[in-house]
Amino acid sequence: MHYANKVYDQVVAANPGEPEFHQAVREVFDSIAPVLDAHPEYADQAILERLVEPERIIAFRVPWVDDAGKIRVNKGYRVQFNSALGPYKGGLRFHPTVYLGMLKFLGFEQIFKNALTRQHIGGAKGGANFDPKGKSDNEVMRFCQSFMTELQRHIGPDVDVPAGDIGVGGREIGYLFGQYRRIRDSFDAGVLTGKGLGFGGSLARTEATGYGAVYFADAMLAARGESLDGRTAVVSGSGNVALYAIAKAQQLGARVVTASDSSGMVYDDAGIDVELLRHIKEDLRGRVSDYAAQRPGARYQAGAKVWNLAELGIHADIAFPCATQNELNEVDARQLLNGGVRAVVEGANMPTTLEATHLLQENGVLFAPGKAANAGGVATSALEMQQNSARQSWGFEKVDAKLHDIMRDIHDTALDAAARYGHEGDYVVGANAAGFEMVAEAMIAQGVI
């Protein structure tokens, strides 16, 4: 661990004021200690020093004009972290909290997540401190056009393929692609993923991250002779990931009783009505409080989290944090333990703090880290790239079947790596070790670059 600790101290000193990035690096370094012990050549080749430094960081201003004619300016970024396994791949996030440190954390995580998919894609992340909420379609269009005017210089189907993330859905991807096509005078469908079905998008992409998390959970339980059928689950969030995690879990026989947003949470003992929640969140752009108002028997709690099971008076078997980073802390973890939770599956990126992760694992809870469990989104983005390259369009069932196979393979790969390095059943060690090995070996094979 001396080597890893030395490099971690260098990361903290060189990247002040970026706690999310520090946390992501610490989590990976802690869990790959047995890999570093088994491969002293990684230190000789300065793999960690190279891995924590992005290959390229692009920062730029994004000027745009609002509907009142006022000029606005936001900050835009693209962090191209590592391309040892393939072209950079990772989402764009439009949210007022976006800053460089957050994108470095997300891009660093993306390296290992993408490696685990075995889809030959590198890691990247980007975005802007722009808030699409409350903006008109024309304002969002003008912002996206300005953002892409700069970004288009740095991306391409074989260079860097962005996708959507928080604040960047089908509307934003459409505007971004239109501007790329106009400037480049080229219909490079593979330059962005998450596109509309009419111009190169893939069926099942919207559902993929939520579905993938549930497929991973199902594989994790199946490895122990169990299943989701008859289980009670709590899910945080109410965006795409949460919606489709709820939908797939209930298809597999679970009863999902919670959803949430930034205003609070809703508890529905009968099981969340997915179609009603989707209508409120996607069609009406409403809040979970609106769900409770329209759903007999549902209870809304303002400002509350979904983890306080005892206060809700329920026992739950499995938890899916599907909202945002660090939403599940040590206090929340204790509440989950008191409520009988036996498995936690991360649908969001790093939603569980290190302290909470350790507490859950120490108490025998199965823990699936996001870089493994929520890889379904980027895996299906890579499937979209394949369809674009071949000028094909696959049916929903074919894409979903491929996603299911990829998630099972990620599960088995992580489980195998954990056992090889003496941490049987530890998916955090397994996912990090397996992804790190793939990237490290590729970096060594390609020389010092």
Side-chain angles (χ1 to χ4, degrees):
M1 280 298 290
H2 172 71
Y3 171 46
N5 287 335
K6 182 186 73 172
V7 177
Y8 176 75
D9 289 342
Q10 293 170 354
V11 168
V12 173
N15 303 272
E18 298 179 358
E20 299 94 347
F21 182 44
H22 303 164
Q23 180 183 342
V25 173
R26 179 80 276 171
E27 187 262 346
V28 171
F29 281 12
D30 283 349
S31 58
I32 63 171
V35 185
L36 297 174
D37 290 341
H39 295 277
E41 70 273 17
Y42 291 169
D44 296 336
Q45 293 289 329
I47 292 298
L48 295 186
E49 290 92 336
R50 288 194 273 161
L51 196 59
V52 298
E53 286 294 335
E55 293 175 6
R56 187 175 299 107
I57 295 176
I58 300 135
F60 51 97
R61 71 182 181 194
V62 188
W64 57 283
V65 180
D66 67 19
D67 287 344
K70 184 176 180 178
I71 297 173
R72 306 279 188 175
V73 180
N74 288 95
K75 294 181 178 180
Y77 305 93
R78 186 67 175 170
V79 179
Q80 296 175 333
F81 226 114
N82 190 288
S83 59
L85 297 180
Y88 305 108
K89 187 83 190 77
L92 297 171
R93 178 174 293 194
F94 291 170
H95 193 272
T97 62
V98 166
Y99 79 110
L100 186 56
M102 178 184 290
L103 297 178
K104 285 161 70 176
F105 131 60
L106 293 166
F108 185 74
E109 288 279 294
Q110 201 79 43
I111 299 170
F112 310 105
K113 180 189 304 186
N114 292 2
L116 288 168
T117 70
R118 301 184 191 273
Q119 298 294 295
H120 306 296
I121 44 179
K125 207 72 177 183
N129 62 343
F130 170 78
D131 190 357
K133 288 184 179 178
K135 305 293 192 303
S136 70
D137 287 349
N138 281 331
E139 287 176 323
V140 172
M141 180 184 70
R142 289 192 289 268
F143 175 84
C144 289
Q145 290 174 340
S146 181
F147 185 88
M148 182 54 79
T149 297
E150 176 60 33
L151 186 66
Q152 56 86 25
R153 309 170 192 270
H154 311 288
I155 63 175
D158 298 313
V159 178
D160 184 353
V161 184
D165 193 72
I166 293 173
V168 179
R171 174 184 62 173
E172 289 77 15
I173 290 292
Y175 293 149
L176 290 165
F177 182 72
Q179 184 72 349
Y180 178 89
R181 186 172 61 81
R182 177 168 67 176
I183 294 174
R184 300 295 285 266
D185 193 24
S186 175
F187 197 97
D188 293 330
V191 73
L192 288 168
T193 56
K195 301 181 297 296
L197 295 177
F199 55 98
S202 174
L203 288 165
R205 176 59 189 90
T206 303
E207 297 87 349
T209 306
Y211 276 21
V214 176
Y215 289 149
F216 192 97
D218 192 49
M220 191 166 63
L221 293 172
R224 289 151 182 84
E226 303 175 21
S227 75
L228 281 165
D229 189 32
R231 305 284 184 182
T232 299
V234 289
V235 172
S236 67
S238 51
N240 266 356
V241 180
L243 276 170
Y244 292 107
I246 294 169
K248 180 55 66 174
Q250 294 192 155
Q251 283 178 23
L252 296 181
R255 179 175 62 105
V256 181
V257 295
T258 65
S260 66
D261 57 25
S262 58
S263 69
M265 60 84 63
V266 65
Y267 170 68
D268 188 346
D269 188 64
I272 296 293
D273 183 329
V274 177
E275 289 307 315
L276 175 59
L277 184 60
R278 181 187 293 119
H279 172 64
I280 287 169
K281 298 300 291 187
E282 295 183 351
D283 299 335
L284 305 180
R285 298 186 182 271
R287 313 295 282 172
V288 294
S289 56
D290 301 318
Y291 173 93
Q294 296 184 42
R295 172 76 164 170
R299 303 192 332 243
Y300 171 72
Q301 293 187 6
K305 294 183 176 182
V306 305
W307 317 124
N308 195 351
L309 305 184
E311 185 175 304
L312 295 171
I314 65 169
H315 170 98
D317 305 292
I318 187 166
F320 292 90
C322 293
T324 190
Q325 67 269 10
N326 291 329
E327 60 168 302
L328 199 166
N329 59 35
E330 189 173 3
V331 172
D332 302 324
R334 292 189 186 281
Q335 293 173 337
L336 288 178
L337 290 170
N338 291 337
V341 161
R342 300 177 55 215
V344 173
V345 180
E346 294 189 319
N349 291 304
M350 204 173 72
T352 313
T353 67
L354 290 175
E355 295 79 11
T357 300
H358 294 155
L359 179 63
L360 291 166
Q361 290 185 306
E362 288 165 3
N363 283 272
V365 172
L366 290 173
F367 187 86
K371 63 173 58 66
N374 78 8
V378 74
T380 307
S381 283
L383 297 178
E384 182 176 330
M385 292 166 64
Q386 291 182 35
Q387 294 171 76
N388 294 160
S389 180
R391 302 286 184 181
Q392 294 180 347
S393 181
W394 302 337
F396 187 97
E397 291 76 14
K398 181 174 182 177
V399 178
D400 189 37
K402 286 179 176 289
L403 168 64
H404 199 175
D405 288 344
I406 290 169
M407 296 310 299
R408 277 201 304 257
D409 181 69
I410 291 173
H411 169 271
D412 294 348
T413 298
L415 197 62
D416 174 70
R420 281 192 291 112
Y421 285 108
H423 290 262
E424 191 163 354
D426 189 328
Y427 290 97
V428 175
V429 170
N432 284 322
F436 174 71
E437 279 183 321
M438 295 178 201
V439 177
E441 292 298 323
M443 291 172 68
I444 290 172
Q446 295 170 29
V448 181
I449 56 174

